[in-house]
Amino acid sequence: MKFKSLVLAAAAFAASSIVGAQTYPTKPVTMIVPFAAGGPTDTVARTVASVMSKTLGQTVVVENVGGAGGTIGVGRVVAAANDGYTFLLMHIGISTAPSLYRTLKYDVNKDLEPIGLVTEVPMTLIAKTAFPPKDFKELVSYVKANKDKVSYANAGIGSASHLCGMLFMTAIQTDVLTVPYKGTAPAMTDLLGGQVDFMCDQTTNTTSQIKGGKVKAYGVTSLTRVASLPDLPTLNEAGLKDFSVGVWHGVWTPKGTAKAINDKLGAALQAALKDDTVKARFAELGTAPEPLARQTPDALRAHLAAEITKWAPIIKKAGVYAD
Ligand code: ASP
């Protein structure tokens, strides 16, 4: 009798989650962004979320959970209920954190379900307007000569700004003081206010500041110039041979989320990425949607694994670790 009622309860539960997946979503859905509001990842997230809301018929609410280079926000999604009402939009940092952190509370390959790649955003090396170096060559000699005085802003170990700064400092063999923020939105505020000297940040946060002359820009981290900033040389052109960082973004759900739910989120993501307003906004900000074939779970799964493998030896060589 007891066994029978357990079986019935299990069957009822399974049936209700199938119905749940079929009717999903019946209430607002939360997209966790592991960085501060108003920053580059947040901008990508909100641009996509507004169109996903239309497709899903429910509001996709962006919640910013910044700190520890994005690992706190990712951890939040790993620990969330796998009912489709919480999902993650994160970037390249998800692939560097496993090498940078001695202990991570989750396994990015096992604890999340990939939905698809979103966009790959170039970064720009920028400084406060009062920073003396006029171009990249001068920047390198100035930073080397003043390494005890200059400060570099980033969004914590595991962020894209951390990765870019680490690669830059390794390339010029100079370490400077780094100042961590919960995202590059607050870092940008301090850069504009002159409290920190320079940083590397995505074009989704820097394009209008560069165009408006509010910051100095020394180069872009893609191997080709960015159409929205045609006068800005690539760092490769400027002298950092083969320097290349593309801040790819992806969407994930917590492990065990029903396939029917993941499929609905995936379809909503794909609809957003072919939307003309999203494409136009991305172009304005120096980026573009990933090709359709990469907006899929398999592409994101493979890309994440490849990126973890790619960055591990580079990080090991740089000798940077966090606890
Ligand atoms: N992209 C992050 C932000 O949105 C910062 C970073 O990764 O550097 O603030």
Side-chain angles (χ1 to χ4, degrees):
M1 189 62 185
K2 214 168 173 198
F3 175 73
K4 198 174 164 197
S5 55
L6 263 181
V7 170
L8 284 176
F13 177 76
S16 75
S17 39
I18 290 169
V19 171
Q22 273 164 1
T23 55
Y24 168 86
T26 55
K27 59 179 187 188
V29 177
T30 301
M31 177 196 269
I32 303 279
V33 172
F35 298 104
T41 311
D42 184 62
T43 298
V44 167
R46 286 175 199 270
T47 305
V48 168
S50 68
V51 181
M52 285 182 80
S53 300
K54 284 186 213 155
T55 312
L56 292 169
Q58 289 287 344
T59 309
V60 175
V61 180
V62 173
E63 187 181 333
N64 301 89
V65 183
T71 57
I72 295 176
V74 175
R76 173 79 75 85
V77 176
V78 167
N82 54 11
D83 56 5
Y85 290 96
T86 306
F87 71 101
L88 173 70
L89 186 140
M90 179 49 180
H91 64 33
I92 188 169
I94 199 165
S95 68
T96 57
S99 302
L100 288 165
Y101 282 81
R102 287 198 172 90
T103 45
L104 262 192
K105 289 198 190 83
Y106 49 82
D107 179 334
V108 295
N109 288 310
K110 291 194 189 135
D111 295 338
L112 293 165
E113 307 275 355
I115 301 299
L117 282 152
V118 180
T119 178
E120 184 166 318
V121 184
M123 302 190 87
T124 48
L125 192 54
I126 58 169
K128 64 183 184 184
T129 47
F131 208 45
K134 286 192 296 295
D135 55 25
F136 182 74
K137 209 165 153 239
E138 283 189 21
L139 175 75
V140 174
S141 18
Y142 186 85
V143 170
K144 281 180 174 249
N146 296 280
K147 64 176 182 343
D148 298 327
K149 284 201 301 208
V150 297
S151 55
Y152 176 85
N154 70 22
I157 293 186
S159 64
S161 44
H162 168 262
L163 176 67
C164 184
M166 183 190 83
L167 297 174
F168 172 68
M169 288 176 219
T170 309
I172 68 164
Q173 294 178 319
T174 307
D175 259 336
V176 304
L177 172 75
T178 55
V179 187
Y181 294 82
K182 282 192 173 174
T184 47
M188 178 65 90
T189 305
D190 275 8
L191 193 86
L192 295 172
Q195 285 93 340
V196 275
D197 294 324
F198 71 120
M199 75 167 167
C200 204
D201 196 15
Q202 286 121 272
T203 55
T204 43
N205 203 33
T206 62
T207 303
S208 63
Q209 309 291 7
I210 295 172
K211 283 188 166 166
K214 302 267 173 27
V215 296
K216 275 187 177 167
Y218 299 105
V220 60
T221 65
S222 44
L223 288 171
T224 51
R225 290 192 182 203
V226 175
S228 58
L229 294 166
D231 300 331
L232 192 61
T234 66
L235 288 176
N236 180 48
E237 272 174 67
L240 271 193
K241 194 93 194 76
D242 297 330
F243 193 95
S244 158
V245 186
V247 184
W248 56 270
H249 294 65
V251 164
W252 292 262
T253 55
K255 186 77 199 164
T257 304
K259 186 176 179 306
I261 290 177
N262 287 337
D263 288 350
K264 279 191 186 171
L265 283 170
L269 176 66
Q270 292 189 355
L273 295 177
K274 69 167 196 236
D275 184 89
D276 287 339
T277 57
V278 170
K279 284 192 204 159
R281 180 81 181 122
F282 276 4
E284 228 172 63
L285 297 173
T287 191
E290 287 279 3
L292 183 60
R294 285 169 63 80
Q295 301 165 14
T296 61
D298 284 348
L300 177 53
R301 187 181 297 106
H303 190 66
L304 174 62
E307 286 282 290
I308 292 173
T309 306
K310 169 181 164 179
W311 294 112
I314 297 169
I315 292 166
K316 198 163 178 214
K317 205 165 149 211
V320 182
Y321 292 103
D323 286 316

